[in-house]
Amino acid sequence: MRALVMFLAFLPGAASAQALAPYVIEHGEIRASLTGKAGDPARGRAIVGERQKGLCLLCHSGPFPEERFQGDLAPTLNGVGARMSEGEIRLRMVDGGKVNPQTIMPAYYRVDGLTRVAPALRGKPVLNAQEIEDVVAYLLTLKDGGAPGRMK
Amino acid sequence: MARRRSRRPGSMWRSTLLACLALGAASAVAQDARKSGFAYMGPDTQAMQKDDLANPGMLSALDGEALWNAPAGASGKSCASCHGDATASMKGVAARYPAYEATHNAPVDLAGRINLCREGNQQAPALPRESREAIGLATYIGQQSRGLSIAPPDDPRLTPFHEQGKALYTQRMGQLNFSCAQCHDENAGGHLGAAPIPQAHPTGYPLYRLEWQATGSLQRRFRNCMAGVRAEPYSYGSPEFIALELYLMDRAKGMAVETPAVRP
């Protein structure tokens, strides 16, 4: 019931209007870290688990026993670190539309080609480069559970 | 679609829906798979809608009934002075709005039609959108179509506006880059966190939404969904919203009006 309100809520200042870090897509991957450094998996877990910030659990399920309501619109995040490479996960986070143009997963690190973005958010990605790296680092720790494509 | 189909077990109607999509059916929500938002609610909320004494939307209908009979404006006339008993004269009216308004060369929604009478016939100021008065009158008039089938006018002048509404419905928007159709056609029946995604039928409006603690219009609901995807909502009564409303009414043709419904 509160899902859309959660979609709305965002932490001000989390993503700034600075230019996006450049990146290169090769063979379905973004190999280099957007910040040049490895992310922090603990911070990444917090972003993924926090609906207002990551939004992930609106669509995905994952190893978050404390979250009662998880989405069923996307494959589980369990085991994602075993079935995808770091570069594939980074591309999926930055702009999943590059992998599947029909996807409903928001592009977390993209500001162009969008329509009628709320004025306060124009020019800002959903997550900043540091946050993307933190999420990538966390997802890479999810090595077991959930065959590819399993729902829950 | 094929990619997703292999991923999800899906309830029976959803497999039917996907089969229809695969066959290239014109409308993504197949006629026989259409369901009111009522079907996605818990038993408590359903019971609240079904019991007129428990349904808070009925209070708005009562507000509207009082206004219907109250003289207003320089004309000193009430709605009833010209239209008589609403239970007869307004029966089925809400089920066929938005309708083409020749003086505007464009469709008007019911709220807009009421204001045309307020200003032109009663010579009273227009009622602000979503005000207690505007919602009351629309709810009272909507209630007179309760149980009747949605019956959009068969008017070729509306066709371009229907097409505009359809384009808006399938246009991705907002920071999260969603179209209405991606949730309400392609993922209806799924869950966004805890919330079931309904098919977005306009059958119940104005309705009492528990989250609002108030009775509100279909366009208020549109604004919520647009804000949800972090888009800048269109304004009340805008041509875009009237076009979307028209498209959704066509899409729900034949479904029963529930006004005033209750939603979570």
Side-chain angles (χ1 to χ4, degrees), chain A residues 1-5 7-9 52 58 69 71-73 101-104 114-116 118 121-122 124-126 149 151, chain B residues 3 7 9 171-178 182 190-195 211 221 227-228 230-234 264:
Chain A
M1 186 193 311
R2 306 264 173 274
L4 286 170
V5 180
F7 253 47
L8 225 197
Q52 294 87 335
L58 288 177
F69 295 108
D72 59 9
L73 304 178
Q102 307 305 321
T103 191
I104 55 167
L114 303 171
T115 305
R116 269 193 97 79
L121 299 173
R122 278 181 204 153
K124 297 180 189 174
V126 182
M151 292 294 297
Chain B
R3 212 177 131 85
R7 284 219 160 109
Q171 152 88 61
R172 285 184 179 233
M173 56 177 97
Q175 191 196 37
L176 301 180
N177 205 26
F178 268 94
Q182 282 182 305
H191 290 80
L192 198 59
E211 196 164 302
R221 176 70 248 190
R230 302 179 178 176
E232 180 182 10
Y234 296 108

Side-chain angles (χ1 to χ4, degrees), chain B residues 45 69 74 77 79 83 91 123 153 156 166 180 182 191 198 209 211 247 255 258:
Chain B
T45 322
N69 294 304
K77 287 186 174 144
C79 316
H83 292 289
K91 203 175 161 135
Q123 292 154 47
K166 186 176 181 177
C180 318
Q182 282 182 305
H191 290 80
R209 189 165 181 224
E211 196 164 302
Y247 174 67
M255 295 178 77
E258 297 163 59

Side-chain angles (χ1 to χ4, degrees), chain B residues 24-79:
Chain B
S27 158
V29 177
Q31 296 276 316
D32 54 4
R34 289 183 309 174
K35 278 197 226 173
S36 155
F38 181 85
Y40 297 89
M41 309 196 304
D44 292 351
T45 322
Q46 289 188 340
M48 191 188 270
Q49 174 171 329
K50 281 193 285 197
D51 177 359
D52 281 351
L53 295 174
N55 180 344
M58 294 305 289
L59 296 174
S60 300
L62 287 174
D63 282 349
E65 184 177 5
L67 276 168
W68 181 264
N69 294 304
S75 73
K77 287 186 174 144
S78 69
C79 316

Side-chain angles (χ1 to χ4, degrees), chain A residues 60-112:
Chain A
H60 291 275
S61 58
F64 292 85
E66 69 277 19
E67 287 292 334
R68 225 174 107 227
F69 295 108
Q70 306 190 8
D72 59 9
L73 304 178
T76 178
L77 295 176
N78 289 327
V80 72
R83 61 180 188 264
M84 292 174 79
S85 70
E86 178 185 330
E88 286 171 339
I89 293 178
R90 188 175 289 110
L91 174 58
R92 170 59 74 178
M93 291 303 305
V94 164
D95 189 353
K98 294 268 173 26
V99 183
N100 169 15
Q102 307 305 321
T103 191
I104 55 167
M105 179 160 154
Y108 280 86
Y109 199 65
R110 169 179 157 189
V111 294
D112 58 330

